[in-house]
Amino acid sequence: MTGKTLLKADPLPWLLAENGPGVRYLALRDLLDRPADDPQLAEARRAAHRAGPIAAVLAQMDAAGFWAEPGPGYYPKYRGSVWAVILLAQLGAASSEDERIGRACAYLLDHALTPGGQFSVNGAPSGTADCLQGNLCWALLELGCADSRLEAAFDWLARSVTGEGIAPLEEKSAPVRYYAGKCGPDFACGSNNKLPCAWGAVKVMLALGRWPAARRTPAMERAIGRGIAFLLGTDPALAGYPNGWAEKPSSNWWKFGFPVFYVTDLLQNVEALVALGYGHDPRLAHAFDVIHSKQDAAGRWPLEYDYAGKTWADFGAKKQPNPWVTLRALRASKAASRGSGHHAPPA
C-alpha cells in the first residue's frame, strides 16, 4: 500500500540535485536517513540556510525578530511573522543553524501567545483558532524552540479539543472559555459555522504528533484519541467532514501544495495520521491510492495549490512536477511503511 514499490520511477536523483539546496537537505535527512552529524548532511544543511528559500525568508526578517509588521504577526497574510515561521519550519530551518530563527521564535512567543496558552491573531485569548494553534505549536517545535511557554500552548491545544476546564462560549464571565472563533470542543470553529473543522483538526494532530510521546499528558492523549476518531471516522480520501457553508467538501482537499498554511490537503491529513502511528491503518488505504495516483511517469508529484507572489518565496509553477510536493508524498509513504512519522530533532 505504501513505500517505494509503488513509485513509477525513482525521483531521488532529482531531489538531491545540487541546485536545489533546500530540498536536497530534507531529502538527505528524511528520505535517506542521514544522521545529524553526517558530513554530507551537515554541508547540505548549511547550504539550505545560506541559499534558497530559507535564506530568502530570513533576509526579510526585522532585526527585532518579526516580519512585515510588529505585533502578533498574523497580518499581513501571508508575509507576517506567523506565516514566515510556519514556512521556515516546513523548509526545515533550525534555530541551531541560524540564531535569527531563535530570535523569531522568541518574538512570536512574546507577542502572539497569551498567558492562557492561546496563540492569538490579535494578542487576546479571543483571537485563537485550531489551525493557528496547531500550526504554530508544530512549527516552533520543528524549528528547535525549547521555550517552556510551549507547555502552556500545548496544554491549551489539548484541552481545547476535550473541553477540560473550558467554559462554554455563552459563559461570558468565565475566566477560561471558548470564543466566537474557537467556539467549542472537538475542533468546533466559527469559521466553519460552529461545526468541527477538519482543517483545524489536522493542524492540531500534526502538533500533538510532534510533541515527544514520553511527555504527553493525559489530556494530550485524550485529545489525540478524539482527533483520530474524527479524522478516521470517514474515509479521508473522500473528505466527507462537516462543512458549514457548502454541500460538498472543498476541492482544495485534493490539490497538493507547498507551503501548507491553514488550507489543508489530503496529503497533510495523511502526514498527521502517519506521525501518530496510523500509517498501516486500513482506513488510509484509499487515501494512499489517491496520493500515489498523482505521480507522473518519473515518480514526481505536481504543485496544485500555491501562494505564488503572496509569501516570501515561490516554489515552482502550478501543475508542473514539484520537488517540494514530491518530498511530502515520499516522506509520508516512507514513514507509513515504517509505522512512524517522526524524524530526529533538527541538529
Side-chain angles (χ1 to χ4, degrees), residues 129-228:
D130 280 327
C131 52
L132 177 66
Q133 192 80 11
N135 269 335
L136 290 180
C137 283
W138 174 86
L140 289 167
L141 282 186
E142 194 72 13
L143 291 169
C145 178
D147 194 295
S148 61
R149 287 174 288 182
L150 280 176
E151 299 270 358
F154 270 86
D155 179 63
W156 166 265
L157 180 77
R159 291 188 300 108
S160 67
V161 175
T162 66
E164 298 170 44
I166 303 176
L169 169 69
E170 295 76 19
E171 294 187 15
K172 306 295 184 183
S173 62
V176 182
R177 66 179 181 91
Y178 292 108
Y179 293 90
K182 175 58 186 166
C183 61
D186 294 312
F187 316 105
C189 182
S191 295
N192 196 37
N193 202 16
K194 299 184 179 180
L195 298 175
C197 176
W199 285 3
V202 168
K203 313 302 183 182
V204 170
M205 292 297 104
L206 273 175
L208 290 172
R210 192 67 180 85
W211 188 258
R215 294 172 57 197
R216 286 178 190 159
T217 64
M220 290 180 188
E221 295 289 1
R222 288 189 286 272
I224 289 170
R226 290 167 85 148
I228 295 297

XYZ file of all heavy atoms in Angstrom, residues 129-228:
746
model
N -7.561 30.039 17.236
C -8.252 29.089 16.357
C -7.407 27.828 16.278
O -6.188 27.873 16.442
C -8.457 29.674 14.960
N -8.040 26.697 16.023
C -7.311 25.432 15.965
C -6.195 25.452 14.925
O -5.098 24.951 15.176
C -8.271 24.282 15.643
C -9.056 23.812 16.855
O -8.507 23.866 17.978
O -10.199 23.373 16.685
N -6.481 26.007 13.751
C -5.469 25.978 12.691
C -4.252 26.804 13.091
O -3.104 26.378 12.881
C -6.049 26.453 11.369
S -6.888 28.042 11.419
N -4.478 27.967 13.705
C -3.373 28.803 14.153
C -2.592 28.125 15.275
O -1.360 28.058 15.249
C -3.912 30.158 14.622
C -2.889 31.138 15.190
C -1.910 31.582 14.110
C -3.592 32.341 15.809
N -3.314 27.614 16.256
C -2.668 26.977 17.404
C -1.850 25.758 16.961
O -0.698 25.590 17.361
C -3.735 26.555 18.424
C -3.180 26.139 19.772
C -2.843 27.328 20.657
O -3.207 28.456 20.357
N -2.150 27.081 21.760
N -2.453 24.914 16.148
C -1.741 23.718 15.705
C -0.544 24.043 14.849
O 0.547 23.475 15.023
N -0.719 24.958 13.902
C 0.383 25.327 13.013
C 1.582 25.857 13.797
O 2.732 25.485 13.540
C -0.071 26.386 12.006
C -0.603 25.783 10.717
O -0.249 24.678 10.341
N -1.448 26.534 10.031
N 1.327 26.771 14.747
C 2.434 27.393 15.462
C 3.055 26.454 16.485
O 4.281 26.455 16.665
C 1.984 28.693 16.121
C 1.696 29.830 15.137
C 1.253 31.086 15.876
C 2.927 30.145 14.280
N 2.254 25.652 17.162
C 2.827 24.667 18.086
C 3.742 23.708 17.330
O 4.858 23.409 17.773
C 1.716 23.907 18.800
S 0.909 24.834 20.140
N 3.272 23.213 16.192
C 4.110 22.316 15.381
C 5.358 23.032 14.888
O 6.478 22.512 14.990
C 3.302 21.797 14.187
C 4.142 20.998 13.239
C 4.426 19.663 13.321
C 4.836 21.485 12.081
N 5.260 19.286 12.290
C 5.525 20.385 11.517
C 4.944 22.738 11.475
C 6.310 20.511 10.365
C 5.724 22.864 10.333
C 6.398 21.763 9.779
N 5.185 24.229 14.350
C 6.301 24.932 13.728
C 7.400 25.250 14.730
O 8.595 25.084 14.438
C 5.809 26.208 13.051
N 7.032 25.717 15.911
C 8.047 26.091 16.890
C 8.848 24.875 17.345
O 10.078 24.959 17.503
C 7.394 26.796 18.074
C 6.878 28.208 17.748
C 5.980 28.725 18.856
C 8.034 29.171 17.517
N 8.179 23.748 17.541
C 8.927 22.525 17.858
C 9.853 22.144 16.710
O 11.012 21.771 16.915
C 7.965 21.372 18.137
C 7.270 21.315 19.489
C 6.488 20.018 19.596
C 8.250 21.426 20.643
N 9.329 22.226 15.500
C 10.106 21.832 14.319
C 11.351 22.697 14.155
O 12.395 22.226 13.687
C 9.218 21.925 13.078
C 9.769 21.233 11.853
C 9.720 19.719 11.929
O 9.030 19.165 12.821
O 10.383 19.066 11.102
N 11.264 23.947 14.535
C 12.385 24.872 14.412
C 13.420 24.692 15.515
O 14.487 25.305 15.477
C 11.878 26.314 14.424
C 11.074 26.738 13.192
C 10.406 28.088 13.430
C 11.939 26.789 11.945
N 13.099 23.858 16.507
C 14.032 23.623 17.597
C 13.807 24.499 18.799
O 14.662 24.582 19.681
N 12.655 25.150 18.886
C 12.346 26.008 20.023
C 12.091 25.145 21.267
O 11.286 24.209 21.226
C 11.120 26.866 19.725
S 10.612 27.935 21.081
N 12.768 25.461 22.358
C 12.613 24.704 23.599
C 12.075 25.583 24.728
O 12.229 25.256 25.898
C 13.948 24.095 24.002
N 11.432 26.681 24.388
C 10.911 27.616 25.378
C 9.841 26.933 26.239
O 8.952 26.251 25.729
C 10.305 28.829 24.662
C 10.052 29.995 25.589
O 9.215 29.856 26.491
O 10.681 31.054 25.394
N 9.926 27.137 27.552
C 8.992 26.474 28.465
C 7.554 26.930 28.262
O 6.612 26.234 28.675
C 9.414 26.732 29.918
O 9.393 28.118 30.210
N 7.357 28.076 27.610
C 5.999 28.557 27.368
C 5.220 27.659 26.412
O 3.980 27.709 26.367
C 6.031 29.991 26.840
C 6.394 31.023 27.895
C 6.555 32.406 27.301
N 7.777 32.522 26.502
C 8.172 33.641 25.900
N 7.420 34.732 25.990
N 9.291 33.675 25.204
N 5.921 26.832 25.679
C 5.224 25.891 24.791
C 4.399 24.877 25.574
O 3.439 24.320 25.048
C 6.228 25.176 23.889
C 6.704 25.950 22.667
C 7.763 25.159 21.909
C 5.536 26.258 21.731
N 4.784 24.620 26.815
C 3.991 23.703 27.654
C 2.558 24.219 27.780
O 1.598 23.456 27.630
C 4.628 23.584 29.043
C 6.038 23.041 29.054
C 6.095 21.538 29.170
O 5.022 20.913 29.287
O 7.215 20.985 29.134
N 2.417 25.518 28.051
C 1.077 26.096 28.180
C 0.334 26.076 26.858
O -0.886 25.843 26.825
C 1.180 27.531 28.712
N 1.052 26.317 25.768
C 0.415 26.310 24.452
C -0.104 24.922 24.108
O -1.215 24.777 23.564
C 1.408 26.789 23.392
N 0.660 23.895 24.408
C 0.206 22.529 24.124
C -0.885 22.087 25.093
O -1.768 21.303 24.719
C 1.390 21.569 24.152
C 2.065 21.414 22.808
C 3.043 22.304 22.407
C 1.702 20.399 21.944
C 3.660 22.183 21.179
C 2.305 20.263 20.706
C 3.287 21.153 20.320
N -0.836 22.586 26.310
C -1.905 22.263 27.253
C -3.228 22.838 26.763
O -4.257 22.145 26.764
C -1.559 22.813 28.633
C -2.661 22.531 29.648
O -2.926 21.341 29.915
O -3.271 23.499 30.163
N -3.220 24.114 26.337
C -4.447 24.689 25.780
C -4.869 23.919 24.538
O -6.061 23.626 24.348
C -4.263 26.162 25.436
C -5.378 26.677 24.555
C -5.380 26.779 23.186
C -6.685 27.065 24.979
N -6.592 27.237 22.739
C -7.421 27.415 23.821
C -7.305 27.170 26.230
C -8.734 27.853 23.885
C -8.626 27.611 26.289
C -9.325 27.935 25.124
N -3.937 23.586 23.673
C -4.241 22.857 22.448
C -5.022 21.585 22.759
O -6.057 21.296 22.145
C -2.935 22.515 21.723
C -3.041 21.745 20.408
C -3.461 22.674 19.279
C -1.702 21.091 20.065
N -4.540 20.826 23.743
C -5.194 19.555 24.079
C -6.549 19.776 24.735
O -7.560 19.164 24.346
C -4.285 18.746 25.000
N -6.589 20.666 25.729
C -7.845 20.863 26.460
C -8.911 21.535 25.609
O -10.107 21.347 25.839
C -7.594 21.658 27.744
C -6.797 20.883 28.785
C -6.718 21.583 30.126
N -6.091 22.900 30.029
C -6.754 24.047 30.138
N -8.070 24.056 30.324
N -6.110 25.203 30.059
N -8.495 22.311 24.616
C -9.492 22.932 23.741
C -10.187 21.887 22.866
O -11.285 22.124 22.374
C -8.841 24.005 22.865
O -7.947 23.441 21.930
N -9.546 20.743 22.688
C -10.188 19.630 21.972
C -11.150 18.892 22.891
O -12.288 18.594 22.521
C -9.131 18.650 21.425
C -9.813 17.431 20.782
C -8.229 19.334 20.411
N -10.695 18.593 24.114
C -11.512 17.787 25.027
C -12.530 18.607 25.803
O -13.508 18.051 26.315
C -10.604 17.066 26.036
O -9.971 18.034 26.889
C -9.527 16.248 25.319
N -12.291 19.898 25.949
C -13.187 20.752 26.715
C -12.871 20.812 28.193
O -13.575 21.493 28.955
N -11.806 20.155 28.633
C -11.475 20.095 30.057
C -11.106 21.478 30.600
O -10.164 22.108 30.134
C -10.307 19.131 30.274
C -10.627 17.702 29.868
C -9.392 16.807 29.850
O -8.585 16.881 30.796
O -9.241 16.042 28.881
N -11.877 21.946 31.581
C -11.580 23.204 32.238
C -11.900 24.436 31.415
O -11.447 25.536 31.754
N -12.692 24.293 30.350
C -13.015 25.426 29.478
C -14.534 25.608 29.455
O -15.280 24.672 29.136
C -12.489 25.195 28.048
C -10.973 24.936 28.091
C -12.791 26.399 27.169
C -10.379 24.607 26.746
N -14.975 26.811 29.798
C -16.404 27.091 29.859
C -16.976 27.283 28.457
O -16.261 27.640 27.514
C -16.648 28.352 30.688
N -18.269 27.051 28.308
C -18.905 27.263 27.006
C -18.817 28.718 26.549
O -18.624 29.641 27.357
C -20.360 26.853 27.247
C -20.337 25.991 28.459
C -19.211 26.505 29.302
N -18.990 28.922 25.274
C -18.961 30.241 24.653
C -19.894 31.222 25.352
O -19.571 32.401 25.522
C -19.354 30.082 23.175
C -19.651 31.326 22.354
C -18.374 32.122 22.135
C -20.262 30.939 21.000
N -21.049 30.731 25.793
C -22.082 31.617 26.342
C -21.735 32.168 27.729
O -22.314 33.172 28.161
C -23.406 30.855 26.418
C -23.989 30.452 25.066
C -23.264 29.264 24.436
O -22.559 28.531 25.179
O -23.398 29.063 23.212
N -20.802 31.543 28.424
C -20.455 31.986 29.777
C -19.423 33.111 29.703
O -18.227 32.915 29.919
C -19.957 30.813 30.616
C -21.028 29.775 30.883
C -20.577 28.698 31.858
O -19.554 28.907 32.551
O -21.231 27.638 31.908
N -19.898 34.292 29.396
C -19.024 35.421 29.107
C -18.142 35.827 30.289
O -17.071 36.407 30.085
C -19.862 36.635 28.678
C -20.817 36.380 27.522
C -20.076 36.045 26.238
C -21.057 35.904 25.070
N -20.376 35.514 23.824
N -18.561 35.540 31.495
C -17.789 35.956 32.660
C -16.763 34.917 33.101
O -15.980 35.176 34.022
C -18.733 36.273 33.831
O -19.460 35.107 34.200
N -16.763 33.761 32.485
C -15.833 32.699 32.888
C -14.399 33.101 32.554
O -14.137 33.678 31.498
C -16.192 31.401 32.182
N -13.458 32.809 33.448
C -12.068 33.207 33.186
C -11.435 32.467 32.007
O -10.551 33.008 31.346
C -11.356 32.874 34.502
C -12.227 31.857 35.173
C -13.618 32.171 34.767
N -11.879 31.238 31.753
C -11.369 30.457 30.615
C -12.569 29.898 29.867
O -13.357 29.124 30.422
C -10.457 29.302 31.068
C -9.922 28.549 29.855
C -9.307 29.816 31.918
N -12.747 30.334 28.645
C -13.919 29.895 27.883
C -13.596 29.852 26.402
O -12.521 30.257 25.958
C -15.083 30.854 28.115
C -14.860 32.271 27.568
C -16.088 33.141 27.831
N -15.949 34.492 27.324
C -16.330 34.901 26.104
N -16.846 34.016 25.249
N -16.181 36.157 25.736
N -14.543 29.315 25.642
C -14.444 29.353 24.189
C -14.917 30.702 23.675
O -15.616 31.446 24.378
C -15.284 28.232 23.568
C -14.739 26.847 23.841
C -15.381 25.980 24.720
C -13.580 26.404 23.208
C -14.890 24.707 24.971
C -13.081 25.128 23.451
C -13.737 24.287 24.331
O -13.239 23.031 24.577
N -14.538 31.007 22.437
C -14.864 32.301 21.838
C -15.521 32.095 20.472
O -15.770 30.961 20.060
C -13.607 33.152 21.718
C -13.046 33.562 23.059
C -12.117 32.768 23.720
C -13.459 34.744 23.679
C -11.605 33.137 24.959
C -12.949 35.126 24.915
C -12.032 34.308 25.549
O -11.535 34.677 26.777
N -15.791 33.166 19.793
C -16.522 33.083 18.525
C -15.765 32.285 17.466
O -16.366 31.614 16.630
C -16.809 34.493 18.002
N -14.446 32.352 17.492
C -13.649 31.596 16.521
C -13.490 30.165 16.955
O -14.091 29.240 16.409
N -12.671 29.947 17.979
C -12.553 28.625 18.594
C -13.709 28.491 19.555
O -13.634 28.866 20.714
C -11.198 28.515 19.306
C -11.007 27.219 20.093
C -11.157 26.007 19.209
C -11.100 24.728 20.027
N -11.557 23.578 19.250
N -14.823 27.933 19.048
C -16.098 28.095 19.757
C -16.538 26.883 20.571
O -17.573 26.924 21.223
C -17.194 28.478 18.767
S -17.488 27.256 17.473
N -15.772 25.780 20.546
C -16.177 24.619 21.316
C -15.194 23.482 21.170
O -14.228 23.566 20.395
N -15.424 22.389 21.905
C -14.518 21.237 21.821
C -14.645 20.501 20.500
O -15.480 20.838 19.655
C -14.962 20.366 23.000
C -16.406 20.721 23.204
C -16.522 22.175 22.864
N -13.802 19.485 20.339
C -13.838 18.626 19.142
C -13.757 19.435 17.854
O -14.477 19.177 16.895
C -15.092 17.745 19.156
C -15.055 16.750 20.307
O -14.008 16.091 20.485
O -16.058 16.643 21.032
N -12.875 20.445 17.864
C -12.499 21.203 16.664
C -13.607 22.117 16.143
O -13.568 22.547 14.989
C -12.016 20.255 15.553
C -11.086 19.190 16.046
C -11.503 17.883 16.199
C -9.789 19.518 16.416
C -10.650 16.904 16.687
C -8.921 18.548 16.911
C -9.352 17.232 17.045
N -14.591 22.427 16.989
C -15.646 23.358 16.576
C -15.039 24.715 16.262
O -14.212 25.235 17.009
C -16.705 23.486 17.665
N -15.476 25.317 15.155
C -14.879 26.564 14.688
C -15.937 27.486 14.112
O -16.764 27.057 13.292
C -13.812 26.261 13.637
S -12.967 27.733 13.012
N -15.892 28.747 14.519
C -16.827 29.721 13.981
C -16.700 29.892 12.488
O -17.692 30.183 11.803
N -15.510 29.730 11.961
C -15.309 29.861 10.521
C -15.924 28.705 9.743
O -16.033 28.776 8.516
C -13.813 29.956 10.204
O -13.271 31.150 10.744
N -16.302 27.630 10.439
C -16.992 26.501 9.801
C -18.426 26.419 10.311
O -18.982 25.329 10.456
C -16.237 25.189 10.069
C -16.668 24.066 9.146
O -16.945 24.282 7.962
N -16.732 22.849 9.673
N -19.017 27.588 10.576
C -20.400 27.649 11.047
C -20.592 26.867 12.343
O -21.611 26.215 12.548
C -21.370 27.144 9.971
C -22.786 27.655 10.172
O -23.020 28.597 10.921
N -23.739 27.022 9.504
N -19.565 26.912 13.211
C -19.557 26.284 14.538
C -19.511 24.759 14.495
O -19.672 24.096 15.528
C -20.749 26.757 15.374
C -20.761 28.261 15.627
C -21.902 28.657 16.540
C -21.882 30.177 16.795
N -22.986 30.584 17.695
N -19.262 24.193 13.331
C -19.111 22.746 13.205
C -17.641 22.355 13.369
O -16.742 23.189 13.230
C -19.612 22.285 11.831
C -21.092 22.527 11.537
C -21.408 22.123 10.097
C -21.964 21.758 12.516
N -17.365 21.081 13.650
C -15.972 20.633 13.720
C -15.266 20.871 12.384
O -15.815 20.562 11.323
C -16.088 19.142 14.030
C -17.427 18.997 14.701
C -18.321 19.996 14.019
N -14.059 21.414 12.459
C -13.297 21.754 11.258
C -12.153 20.772 11.069
O -11.243 20.700 11.903
C -12.765 23.178 11.369
S -11.702 23.656 9.979
N -12.172 20.030 9.984
C -11.122 19.049 9.730
C -9.793 19.719 9.419
O -8.732 19.174 9.731
C -11.531 18.119 8.592
N -9.822 20.883 8.786
C -8.560 21.593 8.531
C -7.868 21.900 9.857
O -6.665 21.685 10.010
C -8.817 22.888 7.756
C -9.121 22.675 6.300
C -9.231 21.481 5.649
C -9.357 23.700 5.328
N -9.528 21.696 4.318
C -9.610 23.042 4.098
C -9.392 25.082 5.373
C -9.876 23.740 2.923
C -9.666 25.789 4.199
C -9.895 25.123 2.987
N -8.638 22.403 10.822
C -8.067 22.669 12.135
C -7.621 21.405 12.839
O -6.576 21.368 13.489
N -8.406 20.347 12.707
C -8.064 19.079 13.359
C -6.738 18.535 12.856
O -5.928 18.024 13.639
C -9.177 18.061 13.119
N -6.501 18.647 11.566
C -5.234 18.167 11.007
C -4.062 18.922 11.621
O -3.037 18.322 11.993
C -5.239 18.298 9.469
C -3.838 18.077 8.894
C -6.215 17.299 8.856
N -4.179 20.228 11.760
C -3.086 21.021 12.344
C -2.845 20.625 13.799
O -1.695 20.524 14.246
C -3.395 22.516 12.270
C -3.896 23.030 10.939
C -2.943 22.774 9.793
C -3.501 23.392 8.518
N -2.663 23.145 7.344
N -3.929 20.425 14.549
C -3.794 20.028 15.948
C -3.115 18.665 16.055
O -2.218 18.456 16.885
C -5.178 20.012 16.627
C -5.105 19.357 18.004
C -5.727 21.429 16.750
N -3.508 17.721 15.211
C -2.912 16.391 15.265
C -1.455 16.411 14.819
O -0.622 15.671 15.348
C -3.722 15.411 14.404
C -5.111 15.104 14.939
S -5.114 14.280 16.564
C -5.592 15.668 17.605
N -1.113 17.270 13.858
C 0.290 17.418 13.470
C 1.129 17.863 14.665
O 2.228 17.339 14.909
C 0.431 18.450 12.348
C 0.287 17.983 10.912
C 0.333 19.181 9.975
C 1.387 16.985 10.533
N 0.617 18.840 15.399
C 1.357 19.357 16.543
C 1.490 18.301 17.636
O 2.584 18.089 18.184
C 0.667 20.606 17.090
N 0.401 17.624 17.960
C 0.460 16.600 19.009
C 1.347 15.434 18.601
O 2.000 14.819 19.444
C -0.952 16.126 19.352
C -1.816 17.162 20.087
C -3.250 16.678 20.197
C -1.244 17.466 21.472
N 1.398 15.149 17.307
C 2.294 14.101 16.826
C 3.753 14.485 16.923
O 4.631 13.621 16.959
N 4.034 15.777 16.970
C 5.412 16.266 17.060
C 5.868 16.388 18.505
O 7.059 16.407 18.782
C 5.508 17.627 16.355
C 6.937 18.111 16.112
C 7.649 17.224 15.106
N 9.015 17.672 14.862
C 10.076 17.353 15.606
N 9.934 16.582 16.663
N 11.274 17.806 15.284
N 4.917 16.495 19.449
C 5.267 16.573 20.866
C 5.824 15.218 21.306
O 5.259 14.180 20.975
C 4.033 16.924 21.686
C 4.295 17.206 23.128
C 4.082 16.359 24.176
C 4.817 18.413 23.696
N 4.434 16.956 25.355
C 4.895 18.227 25.092
C 5.229 19.635 23.164
C 5.363 19.208 25.963
C 5.697 20.614 24.020
C 5.760 20.400 25.399
N 6.928 15.181 22.065
C 7.520 13.892 22.461
C 6.514 12.993 23.176
O 5.840 13.416 24.128
C 8.656 14.315 23.391
C 9.014 15.706 22.965
C 7.710 16.331 22.543
N 6.400 11.756 22.723
C 5.399 10.845 23.279
C 5.586 10.654 24.777
O 4.606 10.526 25.532
C 5.460 9.512 22.545
N 6.829 10.638 25.239
C 7.097 10.418 26.659
C 6.610 11.573 27.527
O 6.460 11.414 28.747
C 8.591 10.198 26.879
N 6.362 12.720 26.917
C 5.938 13.908 27.673
C 4.454 14.223 27.475
O 3.975 15.256 27.950
C 6.784 15.113 27.268
C 8.254 14.989 27.658
C 9.064 16.130 27.065
N 8.558 17.431 27.479
C 8.850 18.579 26.864
N 9.642 18.563 25.802
N 8.349 19.717 27.300
N 3.732 13.361 26.819
C 2.309 13.621 26.614
C 1.539 13.496 27.924
O 1.685 12.521 28.652
C 1.725 12.643 25.594
C 2.140 12.933 24.163
C 1.556 11.902 23.221
N 2.126 12.021 21.896
C 2.121 11.035 20.992
N 1.555 9.868 21.285
N 2.664 11.224 19.815
N 0.707 14.483 28.180
C -0.150 14.452 29.359
C -1.393 13.621 29.067
O -1.706 13.333 27.900
C -0.566 15.876 29.728
O -1.364 16.408 28.652
C 0.647 16.771 29.955
N -2.131 13.236 30.109
C -3.396 12.532 29.861
C -4.341 13.331 28.957
O -5.032 12.746 28.115
C -3.970 12.339 31.264
C -2.753 12.255 32.140
C -1.779 13.236 31.539
N -4.373 14.643 29.131
C -5.239 15.460 28.265
C -4.790 15.373 26.815
O -5.628 15.326 25.903
C -5.239 16.914 28.738
N -3.486 15.370 26.571
C -2.986 15.228 25.196
C -3.397 13.883 24.612
O -3.810 13.801 23.446
C -1.458 15.373 25.171
C -0.956 16.768 25.444
S 0.860 16.807 25.394
C 1.173 18.482 25.968
N -3.279 12.828 25.395
C -3.663 11.500 24.904
C -5.148 11.454 24.573
O -5.558 10.867 23.564
C -3.306 10.429 25.933
C -1.814 10.262 26.195
C -1.070 9.617 25.032
O -1.698 9.308 24.002
O 0.152 9.417 25.169
N -5.956 12.077 25.425
C -7.399 12.099 25.143
C -7.689 12.923 23.892
O -8.555 12.552 23.081
C -8.151 12.642 26.355
C -8.201 11.673 27.525
C -9.134 12.162 28.617
N -8.577 13.270 29.388
C -7.798 13.111 30.469
N -7.469 11.900 30.894
N -7.359 14.167 31.129
N -6.983 14.032 23.718
C -7.181 14.861 22.526
C -6.785 14.094 21.265
O -7.476 14.169 20.236
C -6.370 16.149 22.639
N -5.691 13.352 21.343
C -5.270 12.548 20.192
C -6.336 11.511 19.860
O -6.692 11.318 18.688
C -3.911 11.887 20.475
C -2.796 12.936 20.476
C -3.616 10.795 19.434
C -1.465 12.415 20.978
N -6.866 10.861 20.874
C -7.907 9.865 20.632
C -9.126 10.456 19.941
O -9.679 9.850 19.012
N -9.519 11.647 20.358
C -10.689 12.279 19.743
C -10.372 12.752 18.327
O -11.218 12.698 17.432
C -11.178 13.422 20.622
C -11.798 12.877 21.905
C -12.029 13.909 22.980
N -13.293 14.609 22.810
C -14.022 15.061 23.830
N -13.625 14.851 25.078
N -15.154 15.708 23.603
N -9.136 13.210 18.123
C -8.749 13.632 16.781
C -8.687 12.471 15.805
O -9.141 12.595 14.659
N -8.141 11.349 16.245
C -8.085 10.158 15.387
C -9.498 9.691 15.051
O -9.806 9.358 13.901
C -7.282 9.034 16.074
C -5.818 9.443 16.258
C -7.394 7.736 15.294
C -5.074 9.695 14.968
